Amino acid sequence: MLAAVVWIVTRGPVLYVQRRPGLGGRPFRLYKFRTMSDALNERGEVRCDAERLTRFGRWLRSASLDELPSLFNVLRGDMSLVGPRPLLMQYLDRYTPEQARRHEVRPGITGWAQVNGRNALTWEEKFKLDVWYVDHCSFWLDVKILRMTVGKVVRREGISAAGHVTMPEFMGTADSFRETDC
């Protein structure tokens, strides 16, 4: 049913498919429900995220339902239910060696950073939590994270960074990012 609504609202493909780095930084195709339109500006360029995010897409994200197709990635072995969220391929060469340790485990649909602030965290805070998870991952920690995820989703906390519909682009330092929301 969600797929039908996404198709009607976005007037395009139901799934958003993007290459993301997985275990060891090896790329895989991440599947999510599309939450944005393909709207172009007057120069024929794709509009910024804030202008393309649909009302239904905003709701899908706030309820974390846009992540449901990622369960296919878990079944394929590209992802785990719990682990650091898979970010963008272009970030790989921007990580410090410590931040790159997040790729020592499979990426997850949810993770320690998601239950401790999600997109309300700075990039540096998020990476510290990801590396902490790498150093402490266990079955019981994963159970705790899954339980905490339910509460975060119900309360709809930390969905976006302040002043953004998603997150600013990670450029490698706390003070250096490119505004991508408009």
Side-chain angles (χ1 to χ4, degrees), residues 43-92:
R43 293 182 306 272
E45 302 163 338
V46 176
R47 292 184 179 273
C48 62
D49 289 356
E51 294 175 353
R52 295 184 307 122
L53 184 62
T54 66
R55 183 178 296 148
F56 184 68
R58 188 178 310 275
W59 179 81
L60 273 180
R61 284 181 178 202
S62 71
S64 296
L65 293 173
D66 62 321
E67 303 287 347
L68 283 177
S70 297
L71 290 172
F72 179 70
N73 292 113
V74 173
L75 293 174
R76 287 187 50 183
D78 297 325
M79 292 178 68
S80 178
L81 289 175
V82 179
R85 287 289 300 150
L87 300 174
L88 301 175
M89 292 298 294
Q90 67 257 33
Y91 293 179
L92 285 175

Side-chain angles (χ1 to χ4, degrees), residues 61-62 64 113-114 116-121 126 152 157-159:
R61 284 181 178 202
S62 71
S64 296
Q114 282 62 48
N116 284 290
R118 205 170 171 183
N119 289 332
L121 299 171
K126 192 177 292 201
K152 294 290 182 178
E157 295 176 346
I159 296 164

Side-chain angles (χ1 to χ4, degrees), residues 131-161:
V131 172
W132 185 91
Y133 174 80
V134 169
D135 291 337
H136 297 89
C137 64
S138 70
F139 173 78
W140 293 111
L141 179 58
D142 286 358
V143 169
K144 177 179 180 176
I145 291 169
L146 289 169
R147 192 180 72 245
M148 290 173 71
T149 297
V150 172
K152 294 290 182 178
V153 169
V154 168
R155 289 187 301 278
R156 298 180 182 205
E157 295 176 346
I159 296 164
S160 60

